[in-house]
């Protein structure tokens, strides 16, 4: 088998020259082909485009990675991978087999806390993972190109080890959200659970949570975006069986924040009060709105609108506060008149369930004043209401 990017390893000058060109458009590629063979130029362009894409997940480390664009899309970002690896470390797991390792996003973090074996059925990806782990962490790890369903994992369990498993979540080019559509699927996962007492299964944040095997489900949010769900099993799971955890990671913080509880508790309803509090998506997706309401002692305007309300300002990493200034039925003319009378400048519109199209409304209502406002335009029963607020620091 041909080692991916093998020719590039012997031609570092090409990568340097291509990188210095900046934008790798058709004229730039043509210029490179005047000095280098077309196949090597194609490899260089593919690698540099993958590295550019990888910067959002791996920062400057991406500049020395071996990766392809699809592999980057599928990989855990380094901060997410390190967050998960900390749980393996806290459980004192001595060894981990990383199944379907891809380009090694999770493998790199796991190699810092345990002995790791990386396995992927794609020879190229397994080779990339080994290179990336050694290049970026200094750890030399064994890798294997193999069908993970054929592995004997009983020795792993006997040594007190655990698995990390990243099944394929696409079918015919589209994301699969059903547990039954994972590949390898439920039968293999049952086999894993029979042979290993501890592990983690990496899933998409849109997976149908109610269909998953018993364990702890963690929803991970990076910045304001949901990026991953993890099913923790055996001694890696925390809390009572069936509990869920929401985690928020910020790029400028070394450690994120987590909130755990039982899902789908009843959500107390309250009328809009002085403050509206927007709930982070990881809490909602994990079904922890009811648990959060109990924790902060606040009610929600409606169960599915993602807004709590309170007389007093509540400080929580899971809530973005807004001061409620005015409530009125949604009529653009009436709302615009209020905004004009109150020195409105930039307008932000938040909505749910397609109640309105926010983009044209933001442009239409923007004023010449200095004060920014956030409008929450929401359907309450049969009427669309507008909550005029100001975002608080």
């Amino acid at each position: 088998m041909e080692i991916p990017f093998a020719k590039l390893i012997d031609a570092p000058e090409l990568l340097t020259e291509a990188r210095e060109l900046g934008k790798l458009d058709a004229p730039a590629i043509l210029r490179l082909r005047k000095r280098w063979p077309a196949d090597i130029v194609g490899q260089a362009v593919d690698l540099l485009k993958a590295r550019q894409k990888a910067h959002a997940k791996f920062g400057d480390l991406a500049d020395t990675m071996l990766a392809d664009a699809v592999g980057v899309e599928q990989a855990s970002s380094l901060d997410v991978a390190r967050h998960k690896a900390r749980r393996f470390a806290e459980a004192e797991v001595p060894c981990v087999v990383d199944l379907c390792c891809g380009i090694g996003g999770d493998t790199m973090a796991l190699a810092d806390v345990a002995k790791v074996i990386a396995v992927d059925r794609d020879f190229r990806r397994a080779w990339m993972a080994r290179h990336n782990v050694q290049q970026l962490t200094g750890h030399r790890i064994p890798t294997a190109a193999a069908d993970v369903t054929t592995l004997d994992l009983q020795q792993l369990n006997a040594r007190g080890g655990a698995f990390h498993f990243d099944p394929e979540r696409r079918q015919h080019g589209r994301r699969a959200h059903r547990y039954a559509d994972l590949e390898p699927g439920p039968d293999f996962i049952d086999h894993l659970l029979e042979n290993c007492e501890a592990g983690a299964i990496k899933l998409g944040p849109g997976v149908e949570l109610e269909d998953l095997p018993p364990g702890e489900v963690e929803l991970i949010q990076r910045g304001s975006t949901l990026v991953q769900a993890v099913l923790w099993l055996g001694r890696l799971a925390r809390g009572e069986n069936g509990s869920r955890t929401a985690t928020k990671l910020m790029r400028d913080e070394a450690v994120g924040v987590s909130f755990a509880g039982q899902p789908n508790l009843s959500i107390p309803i309250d009328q809009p009060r002085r403050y509206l509090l927007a709930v982070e998506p990881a809490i909602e997706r994990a079904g922890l709105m009811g648990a959060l309401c109990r924790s902060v002692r606040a009610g929600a305007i409606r169960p599915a609108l993602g807004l709590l309300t309170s007389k007093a300002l509540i400080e929580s990493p899971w809530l973005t506060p807004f001061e409620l200034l005015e409530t009125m039925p949604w009529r653009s003319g009436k709302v615009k008149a209020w905004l004009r009378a109150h020195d409105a400048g930039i307008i932000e519109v938040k909505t749910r369930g397609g109640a309105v199209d926010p983009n044209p409304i933001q442009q239409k209502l923007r004023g010449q004043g200095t004060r920014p406002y956030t409008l929450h335009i929401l359907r309450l029963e049969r009427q669309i209401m507008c909550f005029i607020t100001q975002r608080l620091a």
Side-chain angles (χ1 to χ4, degrees):
M1 294 184 182
E2 181 181 354
I3 296 177
F5 307 124
K7 295 178 181 179
L8 288 179
I9 295 175
D10 297 325
E13 301 89 351
L14 169 58
L15 283 175
T16 300
E17 183 177 342
R19 188 167 53 247
E20 290 175 349
L21 288 175
K23 186 177 181 181
L24 294 173
D25 53 11
I29 293 172
L30 184 61
R31 179 176 172 180
L32 291 172
R33 285 179 174 176
K34 291 181 179 179
R35 292 193 56 203
W36 303 89
D39 61 332
I40 305 180
V41 170
Q43 287 185 14
V45 170
D46 288 346
L47 177 57
L48 288 177
K49 286 184 175 180
R51 285 178 174 176
Q52 290 171 0
K53 198 168 192 175
H55 263 268
K57 291 186 172 184
F58 300 96
D60 291 342
L61 296 178
D63 292 334
T64 56
M65 291 181 68
L66 294 184
D68 62 297
V70 174
V72 171
E73 290 176 5
Q74 296 175 343
S76 296
S77 60
L78 195 56
D79 51 355
V80 172
R82 284 172 173 165
H83 166 74
K84 291 192 290 180
R86 277 192 287 271
R87 189 174 294 212
F88 285 84
E90 289 166 4
E92 299 183 346
V93 173
C95 54
V96 181
V97 57
D98 192 8
L99 304 171
C100 305
C101 64
I103 64 170
D106 283 293
T107 320
M108 288 186 282
L110 290 169
D112 280 334
V113 302
K115 294 181 179 179
V116 179
I117 300 173
V119 183
D120 199 286
R121 65 182 177 184
D122 187 328
F123 164 80
R124 298 168 303 162
R125 296 272 172 76
W127 189 84
M128 290 177 190
R130 181 172 61 186
H131 167 89
N132 292 335
V133 171
Q134 182 174 344
Q135 182 73 25
L136 302 183
T137 72
H139 299 293
R140 293 178 177 268
I141 65 163
T143 59
D147 181 345
V148 298
T149 64
T150 65
L151 301 178
D152 181 2
L153 300 175
Q154 291 183 340
Q155 285 298 315
L156 180 71
N157 196 47
R159 295 167 57 192
F163 65 86
H164 177 273
F165 174 42
D166 182 4
E168 175 63 43
R169 298 184 296 280
R170 288 184 179 269
Q171 284 194 338
H172 312 297
R174 301 180 62 183
R175 293 185 186 276
H177 299 303
R178 295 196 316 148
Y179 175 66
D181 292 335
L182 299 177
E183 180 60 39
D187 289 344
F188 174 65
I189 293 173
D190 289 343
H191 170 73
L192 274 179
L193 301 181
E194 291 171 0
N195 289 275
C196 300
E197 294 178 357
I201 302 176
K202 174 183 169 181
L203 303 163
V207 67
E208 295 181 359
L209 301 177
E210 306 302 334
D211 295 338
L212 300 180
E216 175 204 353
V217 179
E218 180 179 22
L219 275 297
I220 300 176
Q221 173 184 331
R222 188 171 185 245
S224 60
T225 304
L226 282 171
V227 294
Q228 198 170 128
V230 184
L231 176 62
W232 296 101
L233 301 161
R235 69 180 188 278
L236 292 177
R238 295 171 178 167
E240 299 177 8
N241 191 29
S243 66
R244 291 185 191 164
T245 300
T247 292
K248 182 170 71 170
L249 303 174
M250 302 302 292
R251 296 184 185 184
D252 57 349
E253 298 176 3
V255 180
V257 293
S258 294
F259 178 85
Q262 286 299 312
N264 305 321
L265 298 178
S266 61
I267 300 172
I269 305 301
D270 196 2
Q271 63 182 0
R273 300 188 182 275
R274 181 178 178 181
Y275 298 101
L276 300 185
L277 307 143
V279 179
E280 294 287 352
I283 292 288
E284 286 196 84
R285 184 68 188 93
L288 294 175
M289 279 277 288
L292 181 65
C293 284
R294 286 160 174 75
S295 175
V296 300
R297 297 183 179 180
I301 293 178
R302 292 293 186 275
L305 295 181
L307 278 176
L308 305 189
T309 187
S310 174
K311 293 179 180 179
L313 182 61
I314 298 173
E315 294 186 8
S316 167
W318 300 106
L319 299 170
T320 300
F322 300 83
E323 185 175 9
L324 179 58
L325 305 176
E326 188 65 67
T327 301
M328 62 180 72
W330 166 239
R331 300 287 186 271
S332 62
K334 185 177 180 180
V335 172
K336 187 171 185 177
W338 189 98
L339 294 171
R340 188 185 304 116
H342 291 80
D343 192 34
I346 295 174
I347 301 300
E348 175 187 29
V349 174
K350 291 181 172 293
T351 189
R352 279 293 182 94
V356 295
D357 183 356
N359 292 326
I361 294 175
Q362 290 176 161
Q363 296 174 6
K364 182 178 179 180
L365 296 184
R366 180 167 181 168
Q368 301 300 316
T370 60
R371 300 185 67 183
Y373 291 96
T374 299
L375 309 185
H376 299 266
I377 305 178
L378 305 166
R379 185 180 298 277
L380 303 183
E381 284 78 38
R382 297 181 180 180
Q383 189 173 29
I384 298 178
M385 298 295 295
C386 179
F387 301 94
I388 303 175
T389 71
Q390 282 199 311
R391 183 187 289 267
L392 302 179

